[in-house]
Amino acid sequence: MSETTSAAETAAPHRYTAAMAADIEARWQDFWDAEGTYEAPNPTGDLADDPELAARPKKFIMDMFPYPSGAGLHVGHPLGYIATDVFARHQRMTGHNVLHTLGFDAFGLPAEQYAVQTGTHPRVSTEANIENMTAQLRRLGLGHDKRRSFATIESEYYKWTQWIFLQIFNSWYDTEADRARPIAELVEQFESGARPTPDGRDWSALSAAERADILGEYRLAYASDAPVNWSPGLGTVLANEEVTADGRSERGNFPVFKAKLRQWNMRITAYADRLLNDLDGLDWPEAIKLQQRNWIGRSEGARVDFPVDGSDSITVFTTRQDTLFGATYMVLAPEHELVERIIPAAWPEGTHTVWTGGYASPAEAVAAYRKLAAAKSDVERQAEAKDKTGVFTGAYATNPVSGEKVPVFIADYVLMGYGTGAIMAVPAHDARDFAFARAFELPMRCVVEPSDDRGTDPSTWEDAFGSYDAKLVNSANDEISLDGLGVVDAKARITEWLKAHGVGEGTVNFRLRDWLFSRQRYWGEPFPIVYDEDGIAHPLPESMLPLELPEVDDYSPRTFDPEDADTQPETPLSRNADWVNVTLDLGDGNGPKKYRRETNTMPNWAGSCWYELRYLDPNNDQKLVDPAIEQYWMGPREGQPTGGVDLYVGGAEHAVLHLLYARFWSKVLHDLGHISSVEPFHKLYNQGMIQAFVYRDSRGIAVPAAEVEERDGQFYYQGEKVSRVLGKMGKSLKNAVTPDEICTEYGADTLRLYEMAMGPLDVSRPWDTRAVVGQYRLLQRLWRNVVDEETGEVTVVDTEPGEETLRALHKAIDGVGQDMAGMRFNTAIAKVTELNNHLTKAGGPLSRSVAESLVLLVAPLAPHIAEELWRRLGHTESVVHQDFPVADPAYVVDETVTCVVQVKGKVKARLEISPSITDEELEALALADPAVVAALDGAGIRKVIVRAPKLVNIVPA
């Protein structure tokens, strides 16, 4: 603030300034905290302290869980928090009991990496970050119910995260009932013989290890040896969703390799259909729904078995079972478990030299190729490389429809993560198979009639031909013919034949893989699992929860050369022998026994899978959540058939991570009877991003944006010309502006208004500090319309406003109310500004009724100044729970509107008429107008086009 401003303050001691804003904002924030202004009562339990408010319609409004970064907030972070706060305040003023709070997602890699670098315990740095972020958020005047806030690192919270894991571990998915059921019910089926064991033996005849293995095939949480995404540079494995399109770790950008490790998984695939189908009932952006649908990746096709010499068979999933007669070879993923079982000791006689890779035996060729494939990411393997690579296994399979022997290869373009990890190759009709067949001189057979003039000999083709409109050819055996059929009919006929012959059946496949749930980290929730001397996993009884993280001296997992794929994880917890090796009585009748704890921890997503439920009942140490409380806030109701949070605001980047995982956990908890809501979040809103200009020097290094000078449209830093591009805001880009800076310069209400006024909430927009002053001046004009800057006295009068003012007021009330409900905050601010300017220009003191309505209109947007003015207007109750103004319809509609009358397309008259006039009345008035009569000059009328109340167009005969 300049010397000019200081002089103005001296001349007007009660002017709204940054200093006054700071005083007002601090006082009211203290008042709101002391009075519990934003506390939302529950219908029952320890927070049921206001039955009258709890009887109102409810609104549960949430922001996505913030992670408490050490860098603190920049002005881009609070965009969504301010928006939900404005919306929540409007909902309170329109008669709702509003639950709005905010906690912290505090486990995870950043705090652990900071601990490794500095030696500071992750809890210490994380709690300091939370304290700093809480202070920054408080300064914004956010109306959170602070009784309900928590951090995921609190043992009172992660006790229930561990408890949920145990519910999932102790459950299986009953496909007939289409829901999860307790694992004890499955055990009863095995014990009674209602469900046979895999080898037919009685359940009682099986060893404990054999029983555990069988149940592991059903449990929704299970440990298995499976291909995982291993990042040596991070020292941990990653879920598919945490690997970028470039095949690198989302965090740290390290290379990711395939490795086979024993890890915990969640059987999210059991819910694939429900996760897909229930999207239809959610009020989510279509783009997010599409991302989830694509990630789940449902496809209909057939499972087909190709017998291999010996007792094995290769099962493939294909969506083009109609082309089965064209399958001339097969390809397995290099990691496929069958590979080692089917390779012979020597190359079959006559093996093509191109197939062997130059190796003396199949075992040598396969081992060498597997090593090459392991060094590639899934993305690299799927890339359309010019040269296809692979090697013959030495084994042959039998095409079940043609009876032909087809060679079995391994190649890196086939992944274990999709289908069965094996394909039948139809090279004439698939581009990759075509390229592979050309490279390895394999036969090709045309079974789909080309629609061009290429003929039916694939050896003469330049590329493959595939079509869903063509007819089948060359597709017959002694029992079935597909020749002449279209694709749809051919699929149906061959699927029926496969099933009848026991070599396949129609089936549905999903792209979705089970969720890899283990992390080789310290700073995460410990698994409530111990292993006995036989390696069998046992769940801890609920009485032993929470299992707290032990104190350790070394937080770092063992990391390796990022490019070294031949490495294995070593977890920090595994180095704490006293914690790992324990003697426990698990209450299972076996007494105290020695056990070994699980030394992996849960991923950082675990805590955010269910946090909406903890907000409801944050102090409950007996249940996950009281059923009556969960039903009240999140239960299914009209318009929300699957229940859930009423509004959830956050970034679009979590479409297939947090949002998918949280939906899965909700469905399991619902199936087991713990909650009534099937979905966690009914309405999702993705806010845009606040961007900022990034300035870079000639080396491409970002320079401090605040120190860049503009001269003649060019930009300079310390005399050197720099480039400017619009990008993200952040500390590393040296363009971050903190909310503290803006609050100090103008006040929090100005910051709130500016962020909401920048544009539509769901659109990204550039930050411009110079433009903030516009909203600051709006608040100054608002203040002046109520308070005398010289004396500090309220200037309103108890007189009735004029009709013009009433019309301006009620139009604003109507428009602002609709915009608030629709989250169009930028246009709501425009309407408030228009009304405030009208009142300023009208001059004279405001009528009390107008002043009070104006304050109530601005209260959700700028709550501090509204609270201050409301009290100065003589009210003793907080503005927060006042009724939002209601527009009088008589004043919302214009008294008259101007109607244009045209004759032969030219304007001949303008009529001032009622906006409710009918077409017939308007036509009569127009034809009777003297100017129109003169323009017609006695001519007949061929047509009159009436668009009441704005237009009449007369066409003479």
Side-chain angles (χ1 to χ4, degrees):
M1 310 297 276
S2 65
E3 291 180 8
T4 306
T5 307
S6 299
E9 289 173 11
T10 303
H14 296 280
R15 173 169 294 176
Y16 182 82
T17 62
M20 179 182 284
D23 173 66
I24 290 172
E25 289 164 4
R27 278 193 291 106
W28 285 113
Q29 287 162 17
D30 289 343
F31 173 86
W32 293 330
D33 284 352
E35 295 295 317
T37 302
Y38 302 109
E39 292 177 356
N42 279 341
T44 187
D46 64 320
L47 302 184
D49 45 15
D50 190 340
E52 185 177 339
L53 184 53
R56 294 183 178 185
K58 63 88 188 180
K59 283 290 179 186
F60 186 6
I61 299 165
M62 269 181 64
D63 302 279
M64 285 192 184
F65 235 179
Y67 187 85
S69 164
L73 298 176
H74 61 63
V75 292
H77 292 126
L79 178 67
Y81 306 149
I82 295 171
T84 52
D85 187 60
V86 173
F87 184 74
R89 289 175 181 278
H90 179 254
Q91 291 297 306
R92 286 191 194 94
M93 297 177 75
T94 52
H96 294 86
N97 181 23
V98 177
L99 194 167
H100 189 214
T101 191
L102 195 70
F104 296 94
D105 191 10
F107 275 127
L109 199 54
E112 186 172 293
Q113 288 177 324
Y114 184 76
V116 171
Q117 293 163 9
T118 65
T120 307
H121 193 287
R123 181 175 296 280
V124 173
S125 60
T126 301
E127 289 178 347
N129 294 344
I130 289 173
E131 186 177 351
N132 178 52
M133 191 169 174
T134 299
Q136 286 186 297
L137 292 171
R138 183 180 189 271
R139 195 170 181 182
L140 297 174
L142 302 177
H144 294 148
D145 184 345
K146 296 181 179 179
R147 304 171 304 169
R148 299 174 183 265
S149 184
F150 55 82
T152 55
I153 59 175
E154 296 167 8
S155 59
E156 298 87 354
Y157 179 80
Y158 71 72
K159 163 189 174 178
W160 294 105
T161 307
Q162 293 171 334
W163 181 88
I164 294 172
F165 175 84
L166 292 179
Q167 308 313 301
I168 299 172
F169 174 77
N170 285 319
S171 302
W172 63 293
Y173 201 84
D174 185 343
T175 54
E176 292 183 7
D178 202 20
R179 67 177 180 86
R181 294 173 60 184
I183 201 76
E185 296 180 13
L186 180 66
V187 172
E188 287 175 7
Q189 292 182 14
F190 281 125
E191 287 177 337
S192 68
R195 182 183 293 267
T197 61
D199 63 4
R201 286 185 293 162
D202 286 343
W203 186 251
S204 59
L206 302 179
S207 68
E210 288 173 325
R211 294 179 190 176
D213 286 343
I214 291 173
L215 294 179
E217 295 297 316
Y218 290 86
R219 291 187 190 273
L220 290 179
Y222 64 95
S224 69
D225 292 315
V228 296
N229 301 306
W230 164 237
S231 175
L234 283 176
T236 189
V237 298
L238 302 169
N240 289 342
E241 295 86 346
E242 294 172 305
V243 181
T244 69
D246 298 322
R248 302 178 77 86
S249 63
E250 186 179 55
R251 183 170 292 280
N253 198 37
F254 289 106
V256 175
F257 304 96
K258 284 295 181 186
K260 203 163 189 178
L261 300 170
R262 189 160 189 82
Q263 302 288 301
W264 282 98
N265 296 271
M266 293 252 172
R267 209 178 298 275
I268 192 173
T269 50
Y271 283 82
D273 264 326
R274 285 170 61 184
L275 288 167
L276 202 59
N277 296 336
D278 286 352
L279 284 170
D280 294 338
L282 300 180
D283 185 2
W284 285 19
E286 282 304 317
I288 299 294
K289 288 185 178 182
L290 181 61
Q291 284 186 68
Q292 289 218 354
R293 290 188 180 108
N294 289 341
W295 191 261
I296 295 167
R298 186 183 194 276
S299 53
E300 294 187 14
R303 174 188 60 75
V304 186
D305 296 327
F306 285 70
V308 183
D309 296 339
S311 59
D312 284 307
S313 64
I314 298 172
T315 300
V316 303
F317 169 81
T318 176
T319 59
R320 290 299 304 269
Q321 60 268 39
D322 55 301
T323 64
L324 194 49
F325 282 93
T328 58
Y329 67 97
M330 301 191 75
V331 184
L332 301 180
E335 306 88 353
H336 201 292
E337 62 178 8
L338 276 180
V339 174
E340 293 176 357
R341 296 213 301 266
I342 65 174
I343 54 176
W347 294 117
E349 186 176 348
T351 296
H352 199 316
T353 55
V354 177
W355 297 3
T356 67
Y359 290 92
S361 70
E364 292 176 70
V366 166
Y369 189 79
R370 277 180 153 178
K371 190 168 184 178
L372 287 174
K376 292 184 181 180
S377 70
D378 284 0
V379 175
E380 290 172 321
R381 288 171 57 171
Q382 289 283 283
E384 292 296 330
K386 184 177 180 181
D387 299 321
K388 294 296 178 188
T389 64
V391 71
F392 179 42
T393 63
Y396 284 85
T398 302
N399 185 320
V401 294
S402 68
E404 294 175 347
K405 295 286 187 180
V406 295
V408 180
F409 285 75
I410 60 171
D412 60 11
Y413 76 92
V414 177
L415 304 177
M416 281 305 298
Y418 180 77
T420 64
I423 66 163
M424 63 175 208
V426 185
H429 307 295
D430 179 90
R432 289 182 305 172
D433 294 348
F434 185 92
F436 191 92
R438 277 281 168 89
F440 288 87
E441 301 176 21
L442 289 157
M444 292 187 272
R445 179 180 297 109
C446 174
V447 293
V448 178
E449 187 175 50
S451 56
D452 50 29
D453 59 0
R454 68 176 66 199
T456 58
D457 180 4
S459 66
T460 65
W461 296 359
E462 292 299 318
D463 51 26
F465 173 79
S467 173
Y468 277 86
D469 301 326
K471 291 184 178 180
L472 275 292
V473 294
N474 301 323
S475 297
N477 61 27
D478 293 341
E479 298 179 14
I480 185 174
S481 174
L482 306 181
D483 293 344
L485 294 179
V487 171
V488 174
D489 291 339
K491 279 186 176 184
R493 184 172 293 185
I494 194 66
T495 300
E496 186 179 315
W497 186 90
L498 290 168
K499 186 173 183 180
H501 287 72
V503 290
E505 63 180 345
T507 189
V508 173
N509 191 60
F510 294 92
R511 178 178 180 267
L512 181 68
R513 299 293 91 194
D514 281 345
W515 174 15
L516 181 67
F517 203 68
S518 294
R519 295 295 181 275
Q520 291 68 48
R521 315 299 310 191
Y522 167 73
W523 195 232
E525 297 92 342
F527 282 92
I529 293 289
V530 292
Y531 299 92
D532 63 22
E533 293 173 338
D534 296 322
I536 299 172
H538 297 268
L540 292 181
E542 187 177 331
S543 60
M544 290 187 181
L545 302 182
L547 172 60
E548 298 192 24
L549 270 175
E551 296 297 320
V552 299
D553 296 323
D554 183 3
Y555 316 113
S556 57
R558 185 180 177 193
T559 56
F560 304 88
D561 178 345
E563 303 290 344
D564 188 357
D566 296 327
T567 48
Q568 291 276 317
E570 180 186 295
T571 65
L573 291 179
S574 66
R575 298 193 285 266
N576 191 330
D578 290 342
W579 184 82
V580 173
N581 301 302
V582 290
T583 299
L584 301 173
D585 184 348
L586 300 182
D588 53 5
N590 294 320
K593 289 181 62 178
K594 290 182 179 180
Y595 295 97
R596 177 178 53 84
R597 295 196 191 278
E598 171 63 68
T599 60
N600 287 301
T601 52
M602 299 185 198
N604 61 303
W605 308 106
S608 60
C609 275
W610 71 280
Y611 70 120
E612 70 283 355
L613 298 173
R614 190 62 174 175
Y615 283 156
L616 307 183
D617 198 8
N619 304 318
N620 198 333
D621 62 357
Q622 300 299 312
K623 289 183 178 179
L624 179 73
V625 60
D626 184 293
I629 294 172
E630 188 272 337
Q631 174 70 48
Y632 173 83
W633 288 111
M634 291 184 62
R637 62 202 65 226
E638 187 176 352
Q640 299 183 15
T642 53
V645 173
D646 296 290
L647 175 66
Y648 192 38
V649 175
E653 64 272 16
H654 296 304
V656 296
L657 288 159
H658 157 63
L659 289 173
L660 195 62
Y661 299 155
R663 295 183 64 216
F664 165 52
W665 276 33
S666 282
K667 291 183 185 303
V668 177
L669 291 171
H670 170 79
D671 287 356
L672 298 177
H674 300 298
I675 59 175
S676 65
S677 48
V678 185
E679 288 280 343
F681 314 115
H682 171 70
K683 181 178 177 65
L684 175 69
Y685 191 100
N686 297 133
Q687 87 272 17
M689 181 188 300
I690 289 183
Q691 299 170 305
F693 287 111
V694 183
Y695 299 89
R696 297 185 184 276
D697 62 20
S698 58
R699 300 167 298 169
I701 296 174
V703 301
E707 299 175 31
V708 171
E709 298 177 354
E710 182 178 358
R711 299 198 298 267
D712 301 323
Q714 302 295 322
F715 302 94
Y716 298 86
Y717 172 67
Q718 297 181 347
E720 179 191 349
K721 191 175 178 181
V722 294
S723 65
R724 183 180 83 159
V725 294
L726 192 61
K728 287 185 177 182
M729 182 179 285
K731 189 176 180 181
S732 63
L733 298 172
K734 299 182 181 178
N735 62 353
V737 179
T738 70
D740 304 48
E741 295 172 55
I742 304 302
C743 289
T744 299
E745 188 76 8
Y746 299 103
D749 280 340
T750 295
L751 173 62
R752 291 170 60 100
L753 279 174
Y754 177 64
E755 295 216 358
M756 293 300 95
M758 290 172 75
L761 183 59
D762 58 350
V763 175
S764 293
R765 73 294 301 270
W767 177 268
D768 183 0
T769 299
R770 294 168 299 179
V772 177
V773 71
Q775 301 307 318
Y776 179 59
R777 288 173 180 152
L778 166 62
L779 294 179
Q780 288 183 315
R781 287 192 295 271
L782 169 66
W783 182 265
R784 277 197 300 271
N785 275 331
V786 181
V787 176
D788 187 301
E789 293 183 335
E790 298 290 338
T791 66
E793 297 297 319
V794 170
T795 59
V796 301
V797 294
D798 293 319
T799 58
E800 288 300 311
E803 186 162 321
E804 186 179 355
T805 294
L806 283 172
R807 289 194 179 282
L809 174 64
H810 285 278
K811 282 185 178 180
I813 291 171
D814 181 59
V816 171
Q818 291 185 48
D819 287 344
M820 291 279 193
M823 300 181 72
R824 297 183 297 272
F825 305 127
N826 59 319
T827 54
I829 292 170
K831 291 179 175 70
V832 168
T833 304
E834 184 180 357
L835 172 63
N836 198 49
N837 289 344
H838 168 86
L839 298 174
T840 301
K841 290 175 183 176
L846 295 188
S847 296
R848 176 173 292 278
S849 60
V850 174
E852 291 183 345
S853 293
L854 178 62
V855 169
L856 292 171
L857 282 180
V858 83
L861 295 155
H864 307 93
I865 194 173
E867 192 78 88
E868 180 72 15
L869 291 174
W870 190 248
R871 290 305 172 99
R872 290 191 179 217
L873 285 167
H875 299 281
T876 57
E877 298 293 324
S878 170
V879 76
V880 170
H881 290 284
Q882 300 306 307
D883 290 339
F884 198 77
V886 177
D888 185 337
Y891 290 112
V892 173
V893 178
D894 289 329
E895 192 172 18
T896 63
V897 295
T898 301
C899 175
V900 172
V901 183
Q902 297 176 334
V903 178
K904 290 198 288 188
K906 294 183 178 180
V907 177
K908 295 300 180 181
R910 285 183 170 84
L911 309 177
E912 294 298 318
I913 48 95
S914 165
S916 60
I917 194 169
T918 65
D919 285 358
E920 293 77 12
E921 291 169 336
L922 183 55
E923 180 178 341
L925 278 176
L927 292 175
D929 185 85
V932 173
V933 171
L936 288 171
D937 194 24
I941 297 173
R942 182 155 60 91
K943 183 188 289 185
V944 179
I945 302 167
V946 182
R947 298 286 184 267
K950 295 292 183 70
L951 176 69
V952 177
N953 191 10
I954 302 168
V955 183

